[in-house]
């Protein structure tokens, strides 16, 4: 029994110590969008060789699903997809395959959403199986704001919003970090100028 235990522990340590190739299915897109606007997120993988994939993505109800372009790069021979959901959550399911495999890092899908409610919302790769094995997954959090650059919430983007950025320079407050870079700084000034309303 002792030797069996030693073998078991030894095997466990060996498996734990051996590095394995890990891949991640990711979803990327804008970090901040204006309410009522339509934007695109991209679902991809960093795996360099894909024969078959099955990806399931969910989104909250304050994002309205618009269109799905599965395999936008034409990397696969076989593509099917379905969408569905209920009052609180929608989902997109995609399957892809190629008889002789695809070498490269394919884009699995592009999905268009329209923002229909203010606040943070998360687009989640719930599951991804690539070449028959579970892939790592990531999610994307999008902040839906009433009007991009309107940091004081008066419905206009103007000098007063520039003052808000200047007065909170170097902070990480998401209200004044209008470009979502993580800090309040110069790029927020140019973001406001680019979204100027009066
Ligand atoms: Ca304003
Ligand atoms: Ca910023």
């Amino acid at each position: 029994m002792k030797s069996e235990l030693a073998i078991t522990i030894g095997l466990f340590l060996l498996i734990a110590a051996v590095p394995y190739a890990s891949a991640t299915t990711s979803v990327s897109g804008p970090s901040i969008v204006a309410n009522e606007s339509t934007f695109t997120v991209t679902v991809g993988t960093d795996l360099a060789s894909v024969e078959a994939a099955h990806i399931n993505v969910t989104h909250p109800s304050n994002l309205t699903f618009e269109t799905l372009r599965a395999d936008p790069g034409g990397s696969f021979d076989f593509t099917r997809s379905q969408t569905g959901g209920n009052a609180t959550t929608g989902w997109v399911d995609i399957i892809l395959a190629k008889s002789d495999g695809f070498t490269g890092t394919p884009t699995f899908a592009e999905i268009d959403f329209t923002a229909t409610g203010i606040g943070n919302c998360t687009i989640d790769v719930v599951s991804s199986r690539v070449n028959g094995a579970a892939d790592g997954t990531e999610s994307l959090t999008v902040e839906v704001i009433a009007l991009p650059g309107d940091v004081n919430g008066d419905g206009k983007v103007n000098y007063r919003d520039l003052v808000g950025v200047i007065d909170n320079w170097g902070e990480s407050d998401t209200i004044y970090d209008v470009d979502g870079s993580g800090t309040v700084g110069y790029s927020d000034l140019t973001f406001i100028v680019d979204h100027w309303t009066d």
Side-chain angles (χ1 to χ4, degrees), residues 177-185 187-188:
D177 178 22
V178 292
D179 69 345
S181 68
T183 57
V184 180
S187 57
D188 301 304

Side-chain angles (χ1 to χ4, degrees), residues 1 13 29 43 46 54-55 91 104 154 156-157 163 165 182 186 194:
M1 285 296 282
L13 291 173
V43 181
D46 57 5
H54 174 204
I55 307 107
W91 54 263
D154 65 356
K156 297 174 181 177
V157 181
V163 171
V165 168
Y186 191 83
D194 288 344

Side-chain angles (χ1 to χ4, degrees), residues 33 39 59-63 115 117 119-123 140-144:
V33 300
F39 62 97
H59 61 90
S61 59
N62 62 336
L63 296 181
N120 281 343
C121 49
T122 299
I123 301 163
L140 172 70
T141 298
V142 180
E143 184 184 3
V144 181

Side-chain angles (χ1 to χ4, degrees), residues 149-158 160-161:
D150 179 20
V151 299
N152 67 349
D154 65 356
K156 297 174 181 177
V157 181
N158 57 23
R160 291 175 187 276
D161 302 300

